[in-house]
Amino acid sequence: MPSPTFSPRSPRSKKSPRFNKKTKSNKTPKSPKSPKRIRKWDDQITAEEAEALDFSKKDEMDRSVSAEHLVDREAMGQRTKDGMYDVDEMQEESEESDEFDEESEKQPTGKVYNFFKNITGQKVITEEDLEPVLINMKEHLINKNVAADIAAHLCNSVSKGLVGKKAGGWKGVSSAVKAEMEKALRSILTPRTSTDVLRDIFAAKKKGRPYSIVFVGVNGVGKSTNLSKVCFWLLQNKLRVLIAACDTFRSGAVEQLRVHARNLRALEENAEVDLFERGYGKDSAAIAKDAINYASLNNYDVVLIDTAGRMQDNEPLMRALAKLVTVNDPDKIIFVGEALVGNEAVDQLTKFNQSLKDFSGRQNPRQIDGIILTKFDTIDDKVGAALSMTYITGQPILFVGTGQTYTDLRKMNVKSIVQALLK
Ligand SMILES: Nc1nc2c(ncn2[C@@H]2O[C@H](COP(=O)(O)OP(=O)(O)OP(=O)(O)O)[C@@H](O)[C@H]2O)c(=O)[nH]1
Ligand SMILES: [Mg+2]
């Protein structure tokens, strides 16, 4: 069972000598835009719930919190020309010999290139020449957790790119392999939907309504942690965020989010993030609805809805999730999956989509709109799940989780995936 608190892997301050620790003690309390009053949702609201929703005392408590160890200020994203804060792309490993300089004696590193060693010379490459090579390549990709049909698709793309061409030197062949892989992967990893969530959020803000995002997935994959990282990113963009604690199931889930909200407020001078919670055991669909209404009435820009982890085969819990989605029709449904489980994540994703369809009771059921792939920092080069998930849903990997701090959120980088697959 994951701990209800946010525990960093290691203190970042050791890693970053230029780390500039802010003193929170002299931070002035924020003055909210409008005084927040306790709303009554229905006649059943308890005194504890009312107290939990009374944000008026939060600034006092936040002044004593230091959460600087939960961000790496040197790993912050970039500001765009129009001032938006965007997270960085995943880093590629620097690999000098990957440049394929024909003049250079250096050989391209990457096991896959070795398979093509005999495909050189003046002759035109045929399918027969490639057959044994592609068998090896497919096996290599499957070992990196790429699903068999996607591995076959990638091999086909490479084959199409090479057949009928003169082989020439080995480096020429290698760079052709790399280019074909990159082309095929780019079309898988950059699917139809725009990943520009921020633009959509600002469009909703303009219309004066809060943008809602619900985070779904199986137990312990990192939904709440990555929700908080997304929140950090939104706060950098000066958006007002309400976190809705709709995991009313796992004990500690609400407190975990409370800690995150407090940390996130402590990290930025004027961060506006609040927790909407109504305790445990209640209907999460109704809490999400109340949260969205509350956000609407109180001028929040974004509602981040945390949900309980659930196994994809647990019908009652999947029905409850479908209800939450049907009742609230959120702007985005984000599936959170662990990179390290490989193709199991594909089964999860497929069944989440199926349940949303089967249990929605709607003519046009909602489906997952995007993916966050977590724990990328723990998988070495087994990047196959990333491919499979987008391949199957046609939906983008919005972010990759690369650690346990608020700045460990990245955008997918096709080149680094190609690099990991070919090595
Ligand atoms: N290394 C690493 N750990 C992560 C990442 N994302 C989350 N974690 C850790 O994974 C554990 C579970 O995270 P949670 O956010 O509680 O997962 P959850 O999906 O909300 O869990 P439930 O609510 O119990 O279903 C925590 O210890 C997190 O710190 C990541 O990108 N990298
Ligand atoms: Mg959680």
Coordinates of all heavy atoms in Angstrom, one line a residue, residues 64-119:
S64 N 4.0 27.3 7.7 CA 5.0 26.4 8.4 C 5.5 25.3 7.5 O 6.4 24.5 7.9 CB 4.4 25.9 9.7 OG 3.2 25.1 9.3
V65 N 5.0 25.2 6.3 CA 5.4 24.0 5.5 C 6.6 24.4 4.6 O 6.6 25.4 4.0 CB 4.2 23.6 4.6 CG1 4.6 22.5 3.6 CG2 3.0 23.2 5.4
S66 N 7.5 23.5 4.5 CA 8.6 23.7 3.5 C 8.6 22.5 2.5 O 8.6 21.4 3.0 CB 9.9 23.8 4.1 OG 10.9 23.8 3.0
A67 N 8.4 22.7 1.3 CA 8.3 21.6 0.3 C 9.4 21.7 -0.8 O 9.3 21.1 -1.8 CB 6.9 21.6 -0.2
E68 N 10.4 22.6 -0.5 CA 11.4 22.8 -1.6 C 12.1 21.5 -2.0 O 12.6 21.4 -3.1 CB 12.4 23.9 -1.1 CG 12.0 25.3 -1.4 CD 11.8 25.6 -2.9 OE1 12.5 25.0 -3.7 OE2 11.0 26.5 -3.2
H69 N 12.2 20.6 -1.1 CA 12.9 19.3 -1.4 C 12.1 18.5 -2.4 O 12.5 17.5 -2.9 CB 13.2 18.5 -0.2 CG 12.0 18.1 0.6 ND1 11.2 19.1 1.3 CD2 11.4 16.9 0.8 CE1 10.2 18.5 1.9 NE2 10.3 17.2 1.6
L70 N 10.9 18.9 -2.6 CA 10.0 18.2 -3.6 C 10.0 18.8 -5.0 O 9.1 18.4 -5.8 CB 8.6 18.1 -3.0 CG 8.5 17.3 -1.7 CD1 7.1 17.3 -1.1 CD2 8.9 15.8 -1.9
V71 N 10.8 19.7 -5.2 CA 11.0 20.2 -6.6 C 12.5 20.3 -6.9 O 13.3 20.4 -6.0 CB 10.4 21.6 -6.9 CG1 8.9 21.6 -6.8 CG2 11.0 22.6 -5.9
D72 N 12.8 20.1 -8.2 CA 14.2 20.4 -8.6 C 14.1 21.6 -9.5 O 13.7 21.6 -10.6 CB 14.6 19.1 -9.4 CG 16.1 19.3 -9.8 OD1 16.6 20.4 -9.7 OD2 16.6 18.3 -10.3
R73 N 14.5 22.7 -8.9 CA 14.4 24.0 -9.6 C 15.2 24.0 -10.8 O 15.0 24.8 -11.8 CB 14.8 25.2 -8.7 CG 13.9 25.3 -7.4 CD 12.7 26.2 -7.8 NE 11.7 26.2 -6.6 CZ 10.5 26.5 -6.7 NH1 9.9 26.8 -7.9 NH2 9.7 26.5 -5.7
E74 N 16.3 23.2 -10.9 CA 17.1 23.1 -12.1 C 16.5 22.3 -13.2 O 16.9 22.3 -14.3 CB 18.5 22.6 -11.8 CG 19.2 23.7 -10.9 CD 20.7 23.3 -10.7 OE1 21.1 22.2 -11.1 OE2 21.4 24.2 -10.2
A75 N 15.5 21.5 -12.8 CA 14.8 20.6 -13.8 C 13.5 21.2 -14.2 O 12.6 20.5 -14.7 CB 14.7 19.2 -13.2
M76 N 13.3 22.5 -14.0 CA 12.0 23.1 -14.3 C 11.9 23.2 -15.8 O 12.9 23.2 -16.6 CB 12.0 24.6 -13.8 CG 12.0 24.7 -12.3 SD 10.4 24.4 -11.5 CE 9.6 25.9 -11.9
G77 N 10.6 23.3 -16.3 CA 10.4 23.4 -17.8 C 10.8 24.8 -18.3 O 11.4 25.6 -17.6
Q78 N 10.3 25.1 -19.5 CA 10.6 26.3 -20.2 C 9.4 27.2 -20.2 O 8.3 26.8 -20.2 CB 11.0 26.0 -21.6 CG 12.1 24.9 -21.8 CD 13.4 25.4 -21.3 OE1 13.7 26.6 -21.4 NE2 14.2 24.5 -20.7
R79 N 9.7 28.5 -20.3 CA 8.6 29.5 -20.6 C 8.6 29.7 -22.1 O 9.6 29.9 -22.8 CB 8.9 30.8 -20.0 CG 8.8 30.8 -18.4 CD 7.6 31.4 -17.9 NE 7.4 31.0 -16.5 CZ 6.2 30.7 -15.9 NH1 5.1 30.7 -16.6 NH2 6.2 30.3 -14.7
T80 N 7.4 29.6 -22.7 CA 7.3 29.9 -24.1 C 7.3 31.4 -24.4 O 7.2 32.2 -23.4 CB 5.9 29.3 -24.7 OG1 4.9 29.9 -24.0 CG2 5.9 27.8 -24.5
K81 N 7.2 31.8 -25.6 CA 7.3 33.2 -26.0 C 6.1 34.0 -25.3 O 6.3 35.1 -24.9 CB 7.2 33.4 -27.5 CG 8.6 33.5 -28.1 CD 8.5 33.8 -29.6 CE 8.4 32.4 -30.3 NZ 7.8 32.4 -31.6
D82 N 5.0 33.3 -25.3 CA 3.8 34.0 -24.7 C 3.7 33.8 -23.2 O 2.7 34.0 -22.6 CB 2.5 33.7 -25.4 CG 2.4 32.2 -25.7 OD1 3.3 31.4 -25.2 OD2 1.4 31.7 -26.3
G83 N 4.8 33.4 -22.6 CA 4.9 33.3 -21.1 C 4.3 32.1 -20.5 O 4.3 31.9 -19.3
M84 N 3.9 31.1 -21.3 CA 3.3 29.9 -20.8 C 4.5 29.0 -20.2 O 5.6 29.0 -20.8 CB 2.6 29.1 -21.8 CG 1.3 29.7 -22.3 SD 0.1 29.7 -21.1 CE 0.1 31.4 -20.5
Y85 N 4.2 28.3 -19.2 CA 5.2 27.4 -18.6 C 4.9 26.0 -19.2 O 3.8 25.5 -19.0 CB 5.1 27.4 -17.1 CG 6.0 26.3 -16.4 CD1 7.3 26.6 -16.2 CD2 5.5 25.1 -16.1 CE1 8.1 25.6 -15.6 CE2 6.2 24.1 -15.5 CZ 7.6 24.3 -15.3 OH 8.3 23.4 -14.7
D86 N 5.9 25.4 -19.8 CA 5.7 24.1 -20.4 C 6.8 23.1 -19.8 O 7.9 23.5 -19.6 CB 5.8 24.1 -21.9 CG 5.0 23.0 -22.6 OD1 4.4 22.2 -21.8 OD2 5.0 22.9 -23.8
V87 N 6.4 21.9 -19.6 CA 7.4 21.0 -19.0 C 8.3 20.6 -20.2 O 8.0 20.6 -21.3 CB 6.8 19.7 -18.4 CG1 5.9 20.1 -17.2 CG2 6.0 18.9 -19.4
D88 N 9.5 20.1 -19.8 CA 10.5 19.7 -20.8 C 10.2 18.4 -21.4 O 9.4 17.6 -20.9 CB 11.9 19.6 -20.1 CG 12.6 21.0 -20.2 OD1 12.2 21.8 -20.9 OD2 13.6 21.1 -19.4
E89 N 10.9 18.1 -22.5 CA 10.8 16.8 -23.1 C 11.8 15.9 -22.3 O 12.7 16.3 -21.7 CB 11.3 16.8 -24.6 CG 10.2 17.4 -25.5 CD 10.5 17.0 -26.9 OE1 11.6 16.6 -27.3 OE2 9.5 17.0 -27.7
M90 N 11.5 14.6 -22.5 CA 12.5 13.6 -21.9 C 13.8 13.8 -22.6 O 13.9 14.1 -23.7 CB 12.0 12.2 -22.3 CG 10.8 11.7 -21.7 SD 10.1 10.4 -22.7 CE 11.4 9.2 -22.8
Q91 N 14.9 13.6 -21.8 CA 16.2 13.8 -22.3 C 16.6 12.6 -23.2 O 16.3 11.4 -22.8 CB 17.2 13.9 -21.2 CG 17.1 15.1 -20.3 CD 17.6 16.3 -21.1 OE1 18.7 16.3 -21.6 NE2 16.7 17.4 -21.2
E92 N 17.3 12.9 -24.3 CA 17.9 11.8 -25.0 C 19.3 11.5 -24.4 O 19.9 12.5 -23.9 CB 18.2 12.1 -26.4 CG 17.0 12.2 -27.3 CD 17.3 12.9 -28.6 OE1 18.1 12.4 -29.4 OE2 16.7 14.0 -28.8
E93 N 19.7 10.3 -24.4 CA 21.1 10.0 -23.9 C 22.0 10.6 -25.0 O 21.7 10.4 -26.2 CB 21.3 8.5 -23.9 CG 20.7 7.9 -22.6 CD 20.9 6.4 -22.7 OE1 21.9 5.9 -23.2 OE2 20.0 5.7 -22.2
S94 N 23.1 11.2 -24.6 CA 24.0 11.7 -25.6 C 24.8 10.5 -26.1 O 25.3 9.8 -25.4 CB 24.9 12.8 -25.1 OG 25.6 12.3 -24.0
E95 N 24.8 10.4 -27.4 CA 25.4 9.2 -28.0 C 26.2 9.7 -29.3 O 25.6 9.7 -30.3 CB 24.4 8.2 -28.4 CG 24.9 6.8 -28.3 CD 23.8 5.8 -28.6 OE1 22.6 6.1 -28.4 OE2 24.1 4.6 -28.9
E96 N 27.4 10.1 -29.1 CA 28.2 10.7 -30.2 C 28.1 9.8 -31.5 O 27.9 10.3 -32.6 CB 29.6 10.8 -29.8 CG 29.9 12.0 -28.9 CD 31.3 11.9 -28.3 OE1 32.2 11.6 -29.1 OE2 31.4 12.1 -27.1
S97 N 28.3 8.5 -31.3 CA 28.4 7.6 -32.4 C 27.1 7.4 -33.1 O 27.0 6.7 -34.1 CB 29.0 6.3 -32.0 OG 28.3 5.9 -30.9
D98 N 26.0 8.0 -32.6 CA 24.7 7.8 -33.3 C 24.6 8.8 -34.5 O 23.5 8.8 -35.1 CB 23.7 8.1 -32.2 CG 22.4 7.4 -32.5 OD1 22.5 6.3 -33.1 OD2 21.3 7.9 -32.1
E99 N 25.6 9.5 -34.8 CA 25.4 10.5 -35.8 C 25.7 10.0 -37.2 O 25.4 10.7 -38.2 CB 26.4 11.7 -35.6 CG 26.0 12.5 -34.4 CD 24.6 13.1 -34.4 OE1 24.2 13.6 -35.5 OE2 23.9 12.9 -33.5
F100 N 26.2 8.8 -37.4 CA 26.4 8.2 -38.6 C 27.2 9.0 -39.6 O 26.8 9.1 -40.8 CB 25.0 7.8 -39.3 CG 24.1 7.0 -38.4 CD1 22.9 7.4 -38.1 CD2 24.6 5.8 -38.0 CE1 22.1 6.7 -37.3 CE2 23.8 5.0 -37.1 CZ 22.5 5.5 -36.8
D101 N 28.2 9.5 -39.2 CA 29.1 10.3 -40.1 C 29.9 9.3 -40.9 O 30.7 8.5 -40.4 CB 30.0 11.1 -39.2 CG 31.0 11.9 -40.0 OD1 31.0 11.8 -41.2 OD2 31.8 12.6 -39.4
E102 N 29.7 9.2 -42.2 CA 30.3 8.2 -43.1 C 31.8 8.4 -43.0 O 32.6 7.4 -43.2 CB 29.8 8.4 -44.5 CG 28.4 7.9 -44.8 CD 28.2 6.4 -44.8 OE1 29.2 5.7 -44.7 OE2 27.1 6.0 -44.8
E103 N 32.3 9.6 -42.8 CA 33.8 9.8 -42.7 C 34.4 9.2 -41.5 O 35.5 8.7 -41.5 CB 34.1 11.3 -42.7 CG 33.5 12.1 -43.9 CD 34.2 11.6 -45.2 OE1 35.4 11.6 -45.2 OE2 33.4 11.3 -46.1
S104 N 33.6 9.2 -40.5 CA 34.1 8.8 -39.1 C 34.2 7.3 -39.1 O 33.5 6.5 -39.7 CB 33.2 9.3 -38.0 OG 33.0 8.3 -37.1
E105 N 35.2 6.9 -38.3 CA 35.4 5.4 -38.1 C 34.5 4.9 -37.1 O 34.4 3.7 -36.9 CB 36.9 5.2 -37.7 CG 37.9 5.3 -38.9 CD 37.5 4.5 -40.1 OE1 37.3 3.3 -39.9 OE2 37.2 5.0 -41.2
K106 N 33.9 5.8 -36.3 CA 33.0 5.3 -35.2 C 31.8 4.6 -35.8 O 31.3 4.9 -36.8 CB 32.5 6.5 -34.4 CG 33.5 7.0 -33.4 CD 32.9 8.1 -32.6 CE 33.9 8.9 -31.8 NZ 33.5 10.2 -31.5
Q107 N 31.4 3.5 -35.0 CA 30.3 2.8 -35.5 C 29.1 3.2 -34.7 O 29.2 3.5 -33.5 CB 30.6 1.3 -35.2 CG 31.7 0.8 -36.0 CD 31.9 -0.7 -35.9 OE1 31.4 -1.3 -35.0 NE2 32.6 -1.3 -36.8
P108 N 27.9 3.2 -35.3 CA 26.7 3.5 -34.6 C 26.5 2.5 -33.5 O 26.6 1.3 -33.8 CB 25.6 3.5 -35.6 CG 26.2 2.8 -36.8 CD 27.6 2.9 -36.7
T109 N 26.2 2.9 -32.3 CA 26.0 1.9 -31.3 C 24.5 1.6 -31.3 O 23.7 2.4 -31.8 CB 26.3 2.5 -29.9 OG1 25.6 3.7 -29.7 CG2 27.8 2.7 -29.7
G110 N 24.1 0.5 -30.8 CA 22.7 0.0 -30.9 C 22.7 -1.4 -31.5 O 23.2 -1.5 -32.6
K111 N 22.2 -2.3 -30.7 CA 22.3 -3.7 -31.1 C 21.6 -3.9 -32.4 O 22.1 -4.7 -33.3 CB 21.5 -4.5 -30.0 CG 22.5 -5.2 -29.1 CD 21.6 -6.3 -28.4 CE 22.2 -6.6 -27.0 NZ 21.2 -7.0 -26.1
V112 N 20.5 -3.2 -32.7 CA 19.8 -3.5 -33.9 C 20.6 -3.3 -35.2 O 20.5 -4.1 -36.1 CB 18.5 -2.5 -33.9 CG1 17.9 -2.5 -35.3 CG2 17.5 -3.1 -33.0
Y113 N 21.5 -2.3 -35.1 CA 22.3 -2.0 -36.3 C 23.2 -3.2 -36.7 O 23.5 -3.5 -37.8 CB 23.2 -0.8 -36.1 CG 22.3 0.5 -35.8 CD1 22.6 1.2 -34.7 CD2 21.3 0.9 -36.7 CE1 21.8 2.3 -34.4 CE2 20.5 2.0 -36.4 CZ 20.8 2.7 -35.2 OH 20.0 3.8 -34.9
N114 N 23.6 -3.9 -35.7 CA 24.5 -5.1 -35.9 C 23.7 -6.2 -36.8 O 24.4 -6.9 -37.5 CB 24.9 -5.8 -34.6 CG 25.9 -4.9 -33.9 OD1 26.5 -4.0 -34.5 ND2 25.9 -5.0 -32.6
F115 N 22.4 -6.2 -36.6 CA 21.7 -7.2 -37.4 C 21.8 -6.9 -38.9 O 21.7 -7.8 -39.7 CB 20.2 -7.2 -37.1 CG 19.9 -7.5 -35.6 CD1 18.8 -6.9 -35.0 CD2 20.7 -8.3 -34.8 CE1 18.4 -7.1 -33.7 CE2 20.3 -8.5 -33.5 CZ 19.3 -7.9 -32.9
F116 N 22.1 -5.7 -39.2 CA 22.1 -5.3 -40.6 C 23.5 -5.3 -41.2 O 23.7 -4.8 -42.3 CB 21.5 -3.9 -40.8 CG 20.0 -3.8 -40.5 CD1 19.5 -3.7 -39.3 CD2 19.1 -3.9 -41.6 CE1 18.2 -3.7 -39.0 CE2 17.7 -3.9 -41.3 CZ 17.3 -3.8 -40.1
K117 N 24.4 -5.8 -40.5 CA 25.9 -5.8 -40.9 C 26.1 -6.4 -42.2 O 27.0 -5.9 -43.0 CB 26.7 -6.4 -39.8 CG 27.2 -5.4 -38.8 CD 28.5 -5.9 -38.1 CE 29.2 -4.7 -37.6 NZ 29.7 -4.9 -36.3
N118 N 25.4 -7.5 -42.6 CA 25.7 -8.1 -43.8 C 24.9 -7.5 -45.0 O 25.1 -7.9 -46.2 CB 25.4 -9.6 -43.7 CG 26.3 -10.3 -42.7 OD1 27.4 -9.9 -42.6 ND2 25.7 -11.3 -42.0
I119 N 24.1 -6.6 -44.8 CA 23.3 -6.0 -45.8 C 24.1 -4.8 -46.4 O 23.7 -3.6 -46.2 CB 21.9 -5.5 -45.3 CG1 21.2 -6.5 -44.5 CG2 21.0 -5.0 -46.5 CD1 20.5 -7.6 -45.2

